[in-house]
Structures are given as C-alpha cells and as structure tokens.
Amino acid sequence: MPIGRVRALKLLRQTFRHHSAVQQLHVFGRFLSAPFLRTLDAIPPGSRVLDVGAGHGICARLFVEERAREVVAVEPDLRKTLMAWRHPAVRFVAGFDDCIRGAFDVVTIYDVLYRLDAAARDALLPRLYARVRPGGLLVMKEIDPTSRIKEAWNRVQEFLSDKLFGLSMGNVFYNETPDVIAQRLARAGFVDFTARRVDFGYPHAHILYTARRPAS
Ligand SMILES: C[S@@+](CC[C@H](N)C(=O)[O-])C[C@H]1O[C@@H](n2cnc3c(N)ncnc32)[C@H](O)[C@@H]1O
C-alpha cells in the first residue's frame, strides 16, 4: 500500500530526529505544504534516481522508502548537506548539479527552477538532460502561476520563508506557465511532456511535470 501521511510523518520524524528544532520545523512545514506523496507514482519502481536541489532530503527519503533502489541527492547549501541523515541507499553530495556524472533512470527536481533566472533555467535543463539515461525520465515539481489567487499566496509565503528561515539559495523567484516550461524542456531535448496538477486541498498550485529523454 502506498505510504500515507501519518506513516510519512513518522518516517520523517525518525529521519530528522538529530536535526535542530528550526530545521525540523522547516522540514515538517515543507512536507505539509507540498504534495510529495502525490508525486511518488511518477517514479518507476526500482529506479536509480538523481535528486537535484535535494534540500534536506525529504524527496530522497520518500523515494527510497517507496520507489527508488538508490538515490543520489545533490545540494549545494551546506546548511542542509553537512547535517545530512544517513541511509544505505542514499548518497548526499554537497555541490551543484554539474558536479554529478553518469546517467540515471530518473532525474527529479522539485521547486528549484523557480529560484533561477531565465538564463540559468536554460543552462540547467540541458545539464539535467545529460544526466537522464536514454529512455529515462525527468520529474519536476513547480508551482503553476496561472492560478492567480494561489500564486499570490505563494509569493507571500516565499517572502516570509526567506525572512524567517533564510533557507533557500537564489535571488529571484518566479513561476512559469506550463506552456513555457514545455518549450524549455523541448529546447533541452526532452519529449513526451506531461503536466499534472497535484494541488487539490493545498493553498499552492502545485504541478508535476514529466518528460522523457528519447531512447535513441
Ligand atoms: C526550495 S529548495 C527545494 C528543496 C527540495 N527539492 C524540496 O523540495 O524540499 C531549492 C533547493 O535547490 C538548491 N539548488 C539551487 N540550484 C541548484 C543547482 N544548480 N544544483 C543543485 N541544487 C541547487 C538550493 O540550494 C535549494 O536548497
């Protein structure tokens, strides 16, 4: 049976038990404010996953519990990676995505793109393409700005989060429409674009994108 909220919360509590109270607050707030569990079915069971911009590793923890056989979690912010929790099938790497080599069944990237300017977005996506094995998958979670009320709330929350916790890198934040994202991914070489809103019951318009690297 897929993991439910209660079991996921217990798992995260156990995983982050040695973190500071502020970091635990951030992790639980993050988990409760984003539908991580609704995205797990996008990861093919048994995959080897690269999670880019892993943050504290919430995705990595859930992926390896439910779907992935192995996760490499890359994150440049040492406040998050130095205290990383340990798991035999998860490897944390302190650095930016470009320090990773090799090809993965799935590359995941949750709520990272919106923090980058346009040039950095266009530079990052071909790098992610290079990390996906031929026929493999990119899974990306972002916020859909076409939902105006939810987007306004998102901007307030992002501002407060930066002020209170200062936990994310990047000077800009803006979300792009699914059409623009589709074009960016196509320019990077990806095919079979899908977009699925996963935000029912959440104040933010969470959206999950998938795209594939052609098999040949
Ligand atoms: C808003 S956090 C999201 C963290 C995590 N994915 C989650 O969903 O909880 C975005 C993270 O992306 C990281 N990041 C930004 N650019 C990156 C890059 N080029 N390579 C790897 N991580 C990056 C930042 O340090 C930050 O921790």
Side-chain angles (χ1 to χ4, degrees):
M1 197 167 64
I3 191 167
R5 261 190 174 209
V6 172
R7 195 153 70 80
L9 275 168
K10 282 184 184 162
L11 183 71
L12 294 178
R13 196 181 60 179
Q14 169 73 9
T15 303
F16 290 92
R17 65 190 184 285
H18 298 307
H19 283 65
S20 71
V22 171
Q23 286 187 319
Q24 287 188 24
L25 192 65
H26 182 79
V27 165
F28 290 117
R30 175 92 188 109
F31 173 75
L32 292 173
S33 67
F36 292 100
L37 301 182
R38 288 184 195 163
T39 70
L40 295 180
D41 64 349
I43 314 288
S47 304
R48 185 165 176 261
V49 175
L50 171 65
D51 186 33
V52 173
H56 292 94
I58 299 175
C59 292
R61 189 65 192 90
L62 296 170
F63 292 163
V64 82
E65 186 69 14
E66 287 294 288
R67 311 290 285 189
R69 82 167 186 279
E70 185 189 343
V71 180
V72 174
V74 62
E75 167 58 53
D77 189 336
L78 296 182
R79 292 169 296 180
K80 301 174 183 176
T81 38
L82 283 183
M83 271 289 292
W85 44 272
R86 298 196 186 286
H87 185 286
V90 177
R91 187 159 60 90
F92 274 93
V93 177
F96 287 89
D97 63 284
D98 57 3
C99 72
I100 302 292
R101 293 290 172 266
F104 296 78
D105 301 316
V106 183
V107 172
T108 55
I109 179 161
Y110 281 31
D111 293 325
V112 175
L113 211 67
Y114 79 105
R115 281 265 168 193
L116 308 178
D117 63 30
R121 292 175 195 208
D122 274 338
L124 172 64
L125 293 174
R127 295 202 301 268
L128 299 185
Y129 181 89
R131 300 281 70 82
V132 179
R133 70 160 169 78
L137 203 60
L138 175 76
V139 178
M140 180 162 81
K141 197 200 85 59
E142 285 285 313
I143 300 281
D144 180 355
T146 59
S147 173
R148 286 189 165 203
I149 294 176
K150 287 190 172 192
E151 176 64 7
W153 168 241
N154 179 44
R155 299 189 78 80
V156 171
Q157 201 227 3
E158 201 63 36
F159 174 79
L160 290 177
S161 166
D162 276 6
K163 291 285 172 219
L164 290 175
F165 298 110
L167 280 176
S168 282
M169 292 175 118
N171 299 323
V172 297
F173 66 86
Y174 66 97
N175 296 294
E176 292 179 312
T177 64
D179 285 350
V180 172
I181 297 283
Q183 287 163 19
R184 280 196 192 285
L185 291 176
R187 278 203 297 279
F190 289 102
V191 297
D192 299 343
F193 174 79
T194 73
R196 168 162 61 107
R197 282 280 285 268
V198 285
D199 62 331
F200 183 74
Y202 284 86
H204 302 99
H206 300 283
I207 186 163
L208 191 72
Y209 299 113
T210 67
R212 197 167 281 288
R213 176 173 170 160
S216 58

